[in-house]
C-alpha cells in the first residue's frame, strides 16, 4: 500500500517517520514545493532503512511522485506562528488547497485524503468541494490528537493506563472544541461515579483539563515553535485504521448530515473509519450542554468557511 | 525481565511462544515434570531465535530454572477433557499446587504469580493460601480471555473494531460468569442506545452471545481437544501489563474484600494491574441483576473452595 | 493480503498464530479435512483477536475458504513419527498433494505456493509438476529452519547476537544437508579467521554442530512428538519476504537450473525471494567438498522423486 | 529501563521519538539547557502516548531528570552548519562536554554513555577522559549510521534486501572514513565474486558509493539544514543492543588498544555491544590498503584530539 505525504515540514516528516517505523505502508512518497528539502528529507529517512521494516521511500517536488496512492495526507502549509489563531491561517491555506488538490486527485482518484493543515475543519470542507470527491473520501485528522491529549491528562490524574481512558473531545480542532464528559469512562466506570468514588476529576479539575487540552498546541508551539510528534503519531494511527480497514471509531473531521441536528459542516465527531475513509458517524449521546457547545463550534467553522466561499 | 512458565503443555507453550514473539521478557524459562518434553519445547522455540527479539530460552524439570523470576505463570495440570466441567478438575489441581507452589515461591519470592490452571478461581484461592504471599501478588488469568471472546462476538455483530468494544464478563471463569452489559459501551455509546439506534444487540441476541462465550471453551475443546491460542495471547497481555507496570484494567481473578459486598473469594472483577500484581479493583457500577449473578458466581466458587479446605 | 494455511495441524496452526501476532497478513484462512478441528483452531485464534493486529480469521474444510490468496502454505500431512525418516513419508504425501493441489491452484491461480509438508524437497518437486505453475511460484520452506538452527548453535558458541551469524545449511531438508562453512562469517569475520583468533568453531566442533542441526528435528520430535514452533517462525519470515516483496535471500527449496552444475531437482540453495516467489538463486561460491555434498544431496532427492514418478 | 537524551535538538528528539515508538525503554528523559524547548518537546511526545507503548516521558533543564539512567545519549551541541566540517565543531563541543559530563556521571554512575555530538570520535575520546569511566562504558555512535547509508546504496544497486548486505565503513565518522570492501558480502557472496557474476559494484562504482556515503551528511544538511531521522534510527538500534544485552556487532567509536596495531584513539571498528557497553572489538581482517586508510583516519582524529589536549 502507498502513503503520500504532501508537505514535508515538521508535521509531514514526523508523520512519515512514524509511519515508516510502524511499517504502516510499503511505499511512502513525500511531496513538497521545496525540492531540495523534500529530497533531503526522503534521503535522511532512506539512510535509516537498515533499521526500518522494508519500504520504498521517495521525495520529490513533482506531484507525480504521489501517483496511485492509497492514502494522501496533506500537511502542506505554514507553521502556526506564536500568537496566531488557527483561523487566521484559513485564507492562505484555502488558496494553497485550490492550487494543489486537483493535481493530487488526478494522480490518485481512488485515494482517501486526510487533511492535517490548519485550520483543519475549514480546510477539509474546502478540499471536499475543490476535489469533487464523495464525503467519506475526504476528512481531517480533527480532534484525534486533542482526544489523545485529553486522555493523557485524565490517565495521569487517575493513575490508570491510557488505554483505559475513553473520552472524546469533539467539534472544531481549535478553541471552541468540547470535551464529551457525559459519555467518558475510565476502565468502564462512568466519569460521574469515578468522581464520587475517588474525588478525582471534579467539575473544577475537568474544566482545567479541558483548558489545558485547548491550550496544548499553544503551549507546545510557544516552547518549540511547532507541534509535530504527537500529530505524527495520531496521523499514523488514522492511516493504519484506513489501510487495514479497521472500522475504528476516531473523532475525525468530516461533513456532517444531521448529527444531533448538525449539518453541512466538517467537524469532528466519533466516526467509523476504514478502507473507504469515513464510513459513518456514531450517534454518541450528548448532554444538552455539550450539544450547545458543539453547535457553537459548528457555527464558528461554518462562519469562517462561508467567509471563504465554502 | 524473567518470565517462567510452569507446565509446558498446550497452554504453557503457546503462551511462551506468544510472549517470545512479542518480546515480552528477556528471559523465558519453561518448567515441567516431563523432562524430555520440556527440553524439546524450549529447544523448538530456541531453534526459531533468528526470527525472535533477543531472549534467553530454557527448559527444565528442575524448579531452579525458574529462579529469580519477575513473573511466574502456572499452567501445569490436566487438559480439560470433553464433557468434564472445570470444577471437576479442582481436586487434582489443588493437590498439584500443594506440591509445586512452595518450591516456586522459594525460587522467586518477589515474583508475581499468575494462575492459568483450571478451575482458575479456586486454584488461585488455594495458591494464595499455600504460598502465604500477599493478596495482590497472586492472581488468576480469570475472565480476561472470556471478555476477549465477548468483545469479539460483539465486534462481529456491530461491525466495529474490537478495540472499540468495552465490555467485561466477570465472576467465575466458568459456567456461572456474568456479562456486565449495563456498563458496556461501543465506541463510547452505551449498549442501550446502541440497541435503540441499530436494532443490534437486543436482549435475545445478548443472551445468545453470553451463552456462546460460556460455551466457547467447550466448543473449542470439542473440536481440537484443548484451548491454547487465545489463552496464550490473553496471558501474554497480562504479563506485559505487569512487567511494564501499566496500571491496566483487566478482569483477573483475585481475592475480593467487599467488592459490592462480595468478600473472601477469588474471582474476576476489573482490577488495576501493574508491576506489583493486582493493585486494586475498580468500583464498576453493576445492575441489581448483575450483582445477583456475581454473588451466585462467588457462592459457587466459595463452595468448591470450601469443600477442598480453602 | 491473504494467507491461506492448508493443514491445521501442529505446524499449520503455529505458523498461522505467529503470522497473526506479527500482522503478516490482513486475512488468514485455515483449511483442513478435519472440519471440527479446523473450525476450532480458527475460533481459538479469533478469540484472541483483542490482542492481535486486525485480521480476518477463518477456518473451513472447504477449499473455497482459500480463494484469492496471495500466498498458500501447505502443511497438510502426517506428523513425522519417532524413528520414521522424512523420505518414508514421501509416498503418502505425494498422493495427498495430487488430491489437494489442483483445487488450491484453481482457487488462487496467482498465489505463491510454499510447501512445508515433508519430505519437503520431493513434495515441492511433485507439486511444481502437479500444479503446472511456473518454477518461481512454487517452493518449499527448505533449510530456512535448519539454517536458523545452525546459526543459533554458532551464536551460542561464539557469544554473539544471532543476527551476526551468517551461515547457510543447504541441500535436502534432511539427513544429507550440508553446512556451507566456507562462506560463513561472524560479524563479517570469515570462519577460518574466527577459528584462528578464538579457538572456537574448530573442525571437530563444526562437525558436532552440523550433526546437531541434522539431528535437531529428531531430537525435538523424540521429546514432544512434533516440531512446530521454530518452523512456524521460519515460515512466517518467508511469508513476510513474499508479501512485502523484500528480495530477501533465503535458502528455500526450488527447482534448480545449473546451480553450480546442479539441475532438475528441487532443493535449497540461497535464493532471492520476493512478491513473485523465488526470483533467482545466488551464485554463492562453494568449496569442492561442499559441492560434492550438495551433489549427493541432489542425487538423493532426485532418486526418491524419480521413484515416485517425478 | 531508563534512557536519557541530553540535547533535545533535531537529533535528540528524533532519537527519543523513535525509541518511544519502538518501546526501547520504559522511561525516557530529555535534558536540555533550553528549558522551554525541552519541556515542549517532552510534552509533544507525551501528547501522543495513546499511540505509544507505555513509557514515562519527562523533559527538564535540570540534570537530575537523568538520574539513574541505564543509558545516556549525548546529542547536545550545535547543528553542523552548511560548509562547516565536523572537526571545526571540535573545540566548542569539548568545552560543552567539560561542563555537562561530570553532572551526568554523578546522576548515573552505572550508565552506559553514548556520544552522538560531532565530531563524534574526538568528543568520545574527550568524554572518556573527562568522565573517568572505564573504556567500554563510553562510546560514540560512530559509523553505524554511515554503514547503514553504505548498505542502502549497495542494496539499491544489487536489488536485494538491505539485511542481506554486510558491509562496514569504519574509521572516523567523517571525511577520512574507509569502506571495508574486502570483507563485504551480499547474501553471503563476497563482493569480488558478486562483481564477477553481475558486473555490479565495479571498482569505479564502489568508489562512487563510498564518496556518496562520505558526502551524505553534507547532502542532507544542504537540503534540510540538519540530519536527524537516520541518526535517530541508528541510535535507537544501538540503545536496544545495550538494553537487551544483545552482543551485537556494531561499528561504534571507542578506545582502541592494538586493533590491527591501532591504539590510543577513539574511532569506529566493529565492536561487540551489550549491556555493559562495548565489550570487545572483532578482529575483522582488513586489506593492506584498508589498513593504511584506517591508520590515516586514526592519525587525523589523534591530531585533532591532541590539539584539544586529549
Ligand atoms: N491538525 C493538526 O492537529 C495539526 C497539528 C500540527 C500542525 N498542523 C498544521 O500542519 C501544517 C504544517 O505544519 P508544519 O509545522 O509541518 O509546517 P512547516 O512550515 O514545517 O511545513 C510546511 C511544508 O509545506 C510545504 N508547502 C508549502 N506549500 C506547498 C505546496 N504548494 N505544495 C507542497 N508543499 C508545500 C512547505 O515547503 C513546508 O515544507 C500547518 O498548517 C499546521 O498548522 C496541524
Ligand atoms: N484459565 C484459562 O483461561 C485456561 C484456558 C485454557 C486452559 N486452561 C487450563 O490450563 C491447564 C493446562 O492445559 P493444557 O492444555 O496446557 O494441558 P496439557 O496437559 O497440555 O499440559 C499440562 C502440562 O502440565 C505438566 N505438569 C503436570 N504436573 C506438573 C508438575 N507437577 N510440575 C510441572 N508441570 C506439570 C504436564 O506434564 C503437562 O505438560 C489446564 O488446567 C487447563 O484447564 C486454562
Ligand atoms: N519442512 C519443515 O521444516 C517441517 C517442519 C516440521 C514439520 N514438517 C511437516 O509438516 C507436516 C505437518 O506436520 P504436523 O506436525 O502439523 O502434522 P499434524 O498431523 O499435526 O497435522 C497435519 C494436518 O493435515 C491435515 N490434513 C491431512 N490431509 C489433509 C487434506 N487432504 N487436506 C487438508 N488437510 C489435511 C490433518 O487433518 C492434520 O490436521 C508434516 O509433513 C511434517 O513432517 C515440516
Ligand atoms: N554522530 C552522528 O552520526 C550525528 C548525526 C547527526 C548529527 N550529529 C550531531 O548531533 C549534534 C546535535 O545536532 P542537532 O541537529 O540536534 O542540533 P540542534 O542544534 O538541533 O540541537 C542541539 C541541542 O543541544 C542543546 N544544548 C546546547 N548546550 C547544551 C547543554 N549545555 N546542555 C544540554 N543541552 C544543550 C541545545 O539547546 C539544542 O537543543 C550536533 O553535534 C551534530 O553535529 C551527529
Amino acid at each position: 500500500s502507498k502513503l503520500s505525504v504532501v508537505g514535508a515540514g515538521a508535521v509531514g516528516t514526523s508523520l512519515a517517520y512514524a509511519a515508516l517505523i510502524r511499517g504502516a505502508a510499503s511505499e511512502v512518497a513525500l511531496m513538497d514545493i521545496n525540492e531540495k528539502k523534500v529530497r533531503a528529507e526522503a534521503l535522511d529517512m532512506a539512510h535509516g532503512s537498515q533499521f526500518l521494516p522494508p519500504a520504498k521511500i521517495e521525495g520529490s517536488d513533482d506531484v507525480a511522485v504521489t501517483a496511485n496512492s492509497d492514502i494522501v495526507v496533506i500537511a502542506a502549509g505554514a507553521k502556526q506562528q506564536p500568537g496566531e489563531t488557527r483561523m487566521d491561517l484559513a485564507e492562505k491555506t484555502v488558496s494553497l488547497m485550490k492550487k494543489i488538490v486537483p493535481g493530487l486527485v488526478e494522480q490518485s482518484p481512488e485515494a482517501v485524503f486526510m487533511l492535517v493543515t490548519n485550520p483543519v475543519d475549514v480546510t477539509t470542507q474546502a478540499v471536499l468541494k475543490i476535489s469533487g470527491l464523495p464525503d467519506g473520501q475526504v476528512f481531517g485528522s480533527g480532534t484525534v490528537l486533542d482526544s489523545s491529549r485529553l486522555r493523557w491528562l485524565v490517565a495521569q490524574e487517575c493513575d490508570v493506563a491510557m488505554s483505559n481512558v475513553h473520552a472524546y473531545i469533539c467539534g472544531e480542532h481549535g478553541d471552541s472544541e468540547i470535551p464529551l464528559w457525559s459519555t467518558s469512562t475510565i476502565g468502564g466506570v462512568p466519569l460521574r461515579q469515578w468522581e464520587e468514588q475517588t474525588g478525582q476529576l471534579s467539575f473544577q479539575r475537568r474544566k482545567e483539563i479541558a483548558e489545558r487540552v485547548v491550550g496544548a498546541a499553544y503551549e507546545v508551539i510557544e516552547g518549540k515553535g511547532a507541534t509535530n510528534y504527537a500529530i505524527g503519531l495520531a496521523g499514523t494511527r488514522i492511516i493504519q485504521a484506513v489501510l487495514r480497514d479497521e472500522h475504528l471509531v476516531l473523532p475525525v473531521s468530516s461533513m456532517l448530515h444531521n448529527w444531533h441536528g448538525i449539518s453541512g459542516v466538517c467537524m469532528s465527531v466519533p466516526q467509523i473509519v476504514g478502507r473507504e475513509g469515513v464510513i459513518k458517524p456514531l450517534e454518541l449521546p450528548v448532554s444538552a450542554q455539550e450539544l450547545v457547545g458543539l453547535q457553537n463550534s459548528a457555527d464558528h467553522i461554518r462562519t469562517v468557511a462561508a467567509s471563504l466561499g465554502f
Side-chain angles (χ1 to χ4, degrees), chain A:
Chain A
S1 51
K2 179 169 177 176
L3 159 67
S4 287
V5 178
V6 182
V11 170
T13 59
S14 298
L15 187 151
Y17 188 54
L20 284 166
I21 298 176
R22 284 270 154 85
S26 57
E27 203 173 332
V28 174
L30 299 179
M31 197 256 148
D32 199 292
I33 38 161
N34 185 336
E35 195 213 334
K36 263 174 138 178
K37 180 173 178 2
V38 72
R39 287 194 184 282
E41 295 289 0
L43 199 58
D44 194 13
M45 295 189 201
H47 284 158
S49 300
Q50 186 186 342
F51 313 109
L52 291 172
K56 193 177 158 198
I57 306 169
E58 283 171 300
S60 172
D61 63 341
D62 183 348
V63 69
V65 79
T66 67
N68 301 314
S69 297
D70 295 289
I71 184 162
V72 175
V73 174
I74 303 183
K79 265 197 191 57
Q80 202 170 342
Q81 304 299 328
E84 202 177 32
T85 71
R86 289 187 183 107
M87 288 298 172
D88 292 343
L89 291 164
E91 208 156 342
K92 345 181 207 172
T93 296
V94 166
S95 338
L96 175 60
M97 295 302 143
K98 285 184 182 153
K99 217 173 68 192
I100 66 176
V101 165
L104 292 167
V105 174
E106 200 177 88
Q107 293 293 333
S108 307
E110 309 288 339
V112 167
F113 286 79
M114 177 166 81
L115 278 299
V116 179
T117 305
N118 276 326
V120 73
D121 303 288
V122 170
T123 307
T124 302
Q125 194 151 331
V127 169
L128 184 59
K129 209 157 181 187
I130 295 166
S131 69
L133 294 171
D135 280 14
Q137 215 175 322
V138 178
F139 63 85
S141 61
T143 56
V144 174
L145 168 58
D146 316 61
S147 297
S148 170
R149 286 168 175 155
L150 182 71
R151 287 167 190 222
W152 178 66
L153 289 168
V154 172
Q156 299 273 104
E157 164 107 357
C158 302
D159 196 17
V160 296
M162 278 209 58
S163 58
N164 291 125
V165 179
H166 304 292
Y168 300 113
I169 189 159
C170 286
E172 184 205 2
H173 169 63
D175 299 352
S176 70
E177 65 191 354
I178 299 292
L180 303 182
W181 294 120
S182 72
T183 45
S184 298
T185 60
I186 294 167
V189 179
L191 211 85
R192 183 194 312 274
Q193 272 94 342
W194 187 274
E195 183 190 349
E196 279 167 22
Q197 292 168 16
T198 63
Q200 295 167 335
L201 298 175
S202 63
F203 175 78
Q204 184 51 33
R205 204 64 199 95
R206 293 201 301 273
K207 235 186 106 197
E208 284 163 27
I209 287 176
E211 277 160 13
R212 275 200 67 190
V213 172
V214 173
Y218 299 109
E219 194 179 347
V220 174
I221 290 172
E222 169 90 12
K224 58 178 273 202
T227 85
N228 58 317
Y229 290 126
I231 181 65
L233 292 165
T236 296
R237 187 65 195 87
I238 303 172
I239 290 164
Q240 290 182 311
V242 171
L243 295 181
R244 302 193 298 206
D245 193 23
E246 291 191 32
H247 289 213
L248 185 69
V249 178
L250 290 164
V252 292
S253 180
S254 68
M255 180 51 70
L256 299 182
H257 301 287
N258 190 17
W259 189 85
H260 289 293
I262 302 174
S263 292
V265 68
C266 286
M267 74 172 201
S268 291
V269 306
Q271 297 277 0
I272 300 183
V273 175
R275 188 64 194 74
E276 51 197 289
V278 164
I279 298 172
K280 65 172 175 195
L282 283 198
E283 290 295 330
L284 188 78
V286 292
S287 72
Q289 206 186 332
E290 288 165 356
L291 185 55
V292 170
L294 292 168
Q295 285 164 339
N296 285 345
S297 205
D299 287 344
H300 181 62
I301 299 168
R302 224 183 259 116
T303 307
V304 180
S307 77
L308 296 164
F310 292 96

